[in-house]
Amino acid sequence: MLVFIVPLQSRQASKDWRLVSLLARRTLQSVLAQTHSDFRVFLVCNDPPDGCPEHPSVTVLRKNFPVPDMSVWENRMADKWGKVRVGLVAARSLAPCHVMVCDADDSVSNRLAAHVAAHPRTAGWCFDQGWMHDEGSPLIFRWRHGFDSTCGTSSIVRADLPDLPEVEQGPRDENFILHSGHAKIRANMQSRGTPLEMLPFPGAVYNLATGENHSSFSLKGWRSKKILLQKLISYRPLTQRIRKEFGLYDLPTA
């Protein structure tokens, strides 16, 4: 079984809760569109998003998390990984073979659960390739290498029961998933002697320019001629096939 863990920022820390809710609902719907049924989702939050999908595969873990100062990067990350830890503890009851942390404003391929089910003993996968999309654009950008170093929704890791924390409080370095984060998980799994494989297809869409995600990165900010040429090569229309695989529908404007 693949367990998705989706940490969601609190209403009190959000600039626009309506937008946060719309993004989280789209993320959850993209996860729920999996073509294989052997998966579960833990949404970890203070408050579930407005209109949160009701589905037997979704468990909302609602806790009284402290509201962080979101202007401080370290506070945002502590809030995120504290919620991920709660999700990992809850996942123990399901004895999953793999877990995946999914940011609440990204979209995932509907092929992930099927791929995990077909390779249950694999140590996991990093997403070397993925998509990047500026919200509202009719184009999408194919990120061909190193996607996992940029996007937080970018790895699936095998987690046997001894790898999952037993209590909801504790330092990050007690658990290799929490300690690694998305940028270090590939190197850390290699050092453990359980290297991740490359997912053989783009695994996620990193949704940009939403106004609520925490990265300052945007495709619109690329200006050099070299980068512009790379953009022209890697940009393509946001087709209905891509929209369907990733559940990437346009957010309502009103």
Side-chain angles (χ1 to χ4, degrees), residues 113-131:
H115 189 74
V116 169
H119 306 88
R121 301 306 306 174
T122 300
W125 299 266
C126 61
F127 299 2
D128 195 44
Q129 53 182 325
W131 298 101

Side-chain angles (χ1 to χ4, degrees), residues 3 42 59 61 85-96 164-165 168:
V3 168
F42 287 109
T59 299
L61 300 175
R85 184 183 184 107
V86 169
L88 291 174
V89 172
R92 290 181 61 87
S93 64
L94 302 177
L164 299 174
E168 294 181 351

Side-chain angles (χ1 to χ4, degrees), residues 1-4 27 30-40 97-102 106-120 124-127 129-130 147 153-157 198-205 245-246:
M1 176 187 292
L2 171 60
V3 168
F4 295 89
T27 295
S30 79
V31 174
L32 290 171
Q34 297 300 302
T35 61
H36 193 284
S37 62
D38 197 17
F39 73 94
R40 295 293 184 276
C97 63
H98 291 82
V99 297
M100 175 178 177
V101 177
C102 182
D106 293 332
S107 305
V108 300
S109 170
N110 61 10
R111 296 188 276 166
L112 297 178
H115 189 74
V116 169
H119 306 88
W125 299 266
C126 61
F127 299 2
Q129 53 182 325
F147 182 78
T153 306
S154 56
S155 64
I156 298 172
V157 180
M198 303 292 185
L199 191 72
F201 53 88
V205 176
E245 178 177 347
F246 294 92

